[in-house]
Amino acid sequence: QSVLTQPPSASGTPGQRVTISCSGSSSNIGSNTVTWYQQFPGTAPKLVIYSTDQRPSGVPDRFSGSKSGTSASLAISGLQSEDEADYFCAAWDDTLNGPLFGGGTKLTVL
Amino acid sequence: EVQLVESGGGLVQPGRPLRLSCAASGFTFDDYAMHWVRQVPGKGLEWVSGISWDSGAIGYADSVKGRFTISRDNAKNSLYLQMSSLRAEDTALYYCAKDIKTGLYGDFDYWGQGTLVTVSS
């Protein structure tokens, strides 16, 4: 498996709660923590969740992460227009011996 | 303020070498592992290589193993990526990224703005 599996797109209306899924295997999500990055067009990715459910300082508590087995989720509650971006999941892969990324999910705020 | 500034990208012919550099500031460079991550514009992210704080642990993606060499100079707060035998599929924006730990953990809390590498004849 070359990448973690994410839906290519997701959407929601302002104020809504949306979740983005990330599916992996026993060699990555199943045995290691999950990370989530937010990326706006033309800019570098930004860390929004690390160690599966930890938020860096400055990231709103509307963002939360979770994991179950070989799948993980990023949830964004109280959706805002400024949340419209691409979101990538990542997890250390014991076979690659490095971090493996998801293909990315484009979140649209309707 | 943490800053990571990449340089060295450009247009290069297939099979030729290229060296990327990343100048770091705003944090204690030798306290953290560092990585290179690449992205074809409009596409996903791909980890390329990582190096621990003391260069004792180094890793490469299979796609670049044997062709790319990562290194760091803690005295100069700099990270490098020596790329050889470049292929068209190496064309991408190359980001320098700071790990949150000293070893190769793989969580990146700061990223540079990237340097574009285009491999074409």
Side-chain angles (χ1 to χ4, degrees):
Chain A
Q1 185 175 5
S2 58
V3 296
L4 304 177
T5 301
Q6 297 181 237
S9 63
S11 63
T13 56
Q16 201 173 21
R17 182 178 186 270
V18 296
T19 61
I20 297 172
S21 62
C22 176
S23 177
S25 68
S26 58
S27 65
N28 42 68
I29 295 178
S31 54
N32 297 295
T33 61
V34 181
T35 310
W36 291 91
Y37 299 94
Q38 175 191 61
Q39 186 178 36
F40 297 107
T43 69
K46 172 190 172 184
L47 180 68
V48 292
I49 294 288
Y50 67 100
S51 295
T52 303
D53 58 6
Q54 300 299 301
R55 279 187 314 278
S57 61
V59 174
D61 59 6
R62 302 185 295 104
F63 289 80
S64 63
S66 63
K67 181 181 90 165
S68 178
T70 59
S71 293
S73 293
L74 172 70
I76 307 173
S77 60
L79 195 64
Q80 299 181 4
S81 58
E82 57 259 40
D83 299 331
E84 186 164 290
D86 292 326
Y87 292 85
F88 294 90
C89 62
W92 189 271
D93 187 275
D94 295 331
T95 302
L96 170 65
N97 206 22
L100 192 63
F101 288 90
T105 298
K106 183 177 181 57
L107 175 63
T108 300
V109 180
L110 302 169
Chain B
E1 178 194 4
V2 172
Q3 283 198 317
L4 299 170
V5 180
E6 303 94 337
S7 61
L11 174 64
V12 60
Q13 292 181 328
R16 301 294 294 171
L18 198 65
R19 189 196 198 205
L20 305 183
S21 299
C22 171
S25 61
F27 66 101
T28 304
F29 184 69
D30 56 10
D31 274 353
Y32 298 96
M34 297 294 295
H35 301 257
W36 290 98
V37 178
R38 67 186 180 185
Q39 183 176 34
V40 174
K43 302 296 185 182
L45 299 163
E46 179 187 19
W47 176 76
V48 173
S49 181
I51 185 168
S52 64
W53 70 280
D54 62 350
S55 304
I58 288 175
Y60 298 98
D62 287 344
S63 58
V64 307
K65 201 170 292 184
R67 300 187 299 121
F68 290 11
T69 301
I70 192 172
S71 63
R72 64 188 294 163
D73 185 336
N74 289 344
K76 295 183 178 179
N77 289 349
S78 294
L79 175 71
Y80 307 101
L81 186 68
Q82 179 68 50
M83 305 184 293
S84 62
S85 303
L86 281 163
R87 307 166 179 167
E89 52 265 37
D90 295 318
T91 295
L93 186 64
Y94 283 72
Y95 291 106
C96 167
K98 172 186 168 295
D99 204 306
I100 66 173
K101 297 195 176 184
T102 55
L104 299 182
Y105 188 68
D107 285 357
F108 311 131
D109 57 351
Y110 290 95
W111 300 62
Q113 285 307 302
T115 185
L116 183 63
V117 174
T118 303
V119 184
S120 175
S121 54

